[in-house]
């Protein structure tokens, strides 16, 4: 997990944005200054103008850091990733409503005309006795219950906002319930995701349960092909498949994920849509997996 960038974006009007500066906090980055050409949003009445960009080696948080910038009319945010699952993080601790709309989040997440991300995560005040509340807008504008990689990025971001050091943890209210991430001494973040939910109605899926109220290695027809699927919830719905009819083992690199993924996600048996994991067994100890993520691709 690493910080990819820190950016300040002015929101002086609902139709114009200016990217003032980008400071990379990735380790081992050489100091440099790069002129950046003007770029334009593909969305009507919206422009992203990049005036400058600089990269530098990682530094400790100080009073002059981006986290303490409070210029009126500007939205300050950071870019983090967990296992390549990347997010824009926004400090929203002073209000219970996200600073930007789902529509604006879609624009920020655009990888050609925006900042580029799988989603936008907001650090909001805690409720029901928790330290913080986490909300996410996916890159398509939908709002998931929570995200495992996202909550790890959330924890690192909060640690920097609060200038915390050493081993520590805090409580987070999410749409999937209480989550307690733990920031370790080495800076990595560990999250107990809780017990998997297998009951079909709670995943949720309309597939008929075939084992103790769960859907395990059940048949699902997608685009004329029979897949063997298991349905599970980790606070959000997942469909896991290791094989399809006539094939004992998937070759996941051969899958046209952008074509087949949406057909799983929007299948009628998943009323809340679904994430889908395509898994190839390499050996008794190693698996290879490709993921189609609900709302992010």
């Amino acid at each position: 997990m690493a910080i990819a960038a820190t950016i300040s974006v002015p929101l002086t009007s609902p139709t114009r944005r200016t990217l003032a500066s980008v400071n990379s906090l990735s380790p081992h980055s050489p100091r440099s200054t790069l002129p950046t050409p003007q770029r334009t949003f593909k969305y009507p009445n919206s422009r992203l103008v990049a005036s400058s960009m600089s990269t530098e080696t990682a530094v400790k948080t100080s009073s002059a850091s981006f986290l303490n910038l409070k210029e009126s009319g500007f939205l300050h945010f950071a870019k983090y990733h967990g296992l390549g699952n990347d997010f824009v993080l926004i400090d929203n601790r002073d209000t219970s409503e996200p600073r930007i709309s789902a529509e604006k989040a879609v624009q920020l997440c655009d990888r050609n005309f925006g900042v580029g991300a799988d989603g936008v995560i907001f650090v909001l005040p805690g409720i029901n006795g928790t330290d913080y509340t986490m909300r996410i807008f996916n890159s398509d504008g939908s709002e998931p219950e929570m995200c495992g990689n996202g909550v790890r990025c959330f924890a690192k971001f909060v640690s920097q906002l609060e200038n915390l050091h050493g081993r520590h943890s805090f409580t987070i209210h999410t749409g999937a319930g209480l989550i307690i991430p733990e920031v370790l001494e080495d800076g990595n973040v560990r999250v107990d995701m809780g017990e998997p939910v297998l009951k079909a109605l709670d995943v949720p899926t309309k597939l008929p349960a075939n084992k103790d109220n769960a859907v395990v290695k059940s048949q699902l027809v997608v685009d004329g092909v029979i897949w063997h699927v298991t349905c599970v919830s980790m606070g959000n719905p997942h469909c896991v498949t290791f094989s399809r009819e006539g094939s004992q083992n998937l070759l996941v690199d051969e899958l046209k994920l952008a074509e087949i993924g949406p057909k799983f996600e929007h299948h009628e048996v998943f009323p809340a849509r679904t994430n889908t994991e395509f898994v190839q067994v390499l050996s008794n100890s190693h698996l290879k997996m490709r993921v189609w993520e609900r709302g992010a691709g």
Side-chain angles (χ1 to χ4, degrees), residues 205-285:
T205 178
K206 295 179 181 179
L207 281 170
N210 60 356
K211 184 177 181 180
D212 299 329
N213 296 316
V215 174
V216 180
K217 295 183 180 178
S218 185
Q219 291 188 347
L220 175 65
V221 179
V222 179
D223 201 25
V225 177
I226 298 175
W227 295 78
H228 304 131
V229 304
T230 296
C231 298
V232 58
S233 172
M234 294 303 300
N236 50 12
H238 291 262
C239 173
V240 185
T241 179
F242 286 81
S243 64
R244 51 194 166 195
E245 195 75 11
S247 175
Q248 290 297 314
N249 194 18
L250 283 178
L251 300 176
V252 295
D253 287 335
E254 296 181 3
L255 290 174
K256 295 180 179 178
L257 200 60
E259 294 180 10
I260 192 65
K263 294 175 181 178
F264 275 84
E265 178 183 357
H266 297 279
H267 200 288
E268 62 183 1
V269 301
F270 301 113
R273 300 190 292 165
T274 189
N275 302 279
T276 308
E277 285 77 27
F278 301 89
V279 189
Q280 178 179 348
V281 179
L282 300 179
S283 69
N284 288 336
S285 60

Side-chain angles (χ1 to χ4, degrees), residues 59-70:
V59 295
K60 294 182 178 180
T61 303
S62 68
S63 59
S65 78
F66 80 100
L67 296 173
N68 295 290
L69 296 175
K70 301 295 182 183

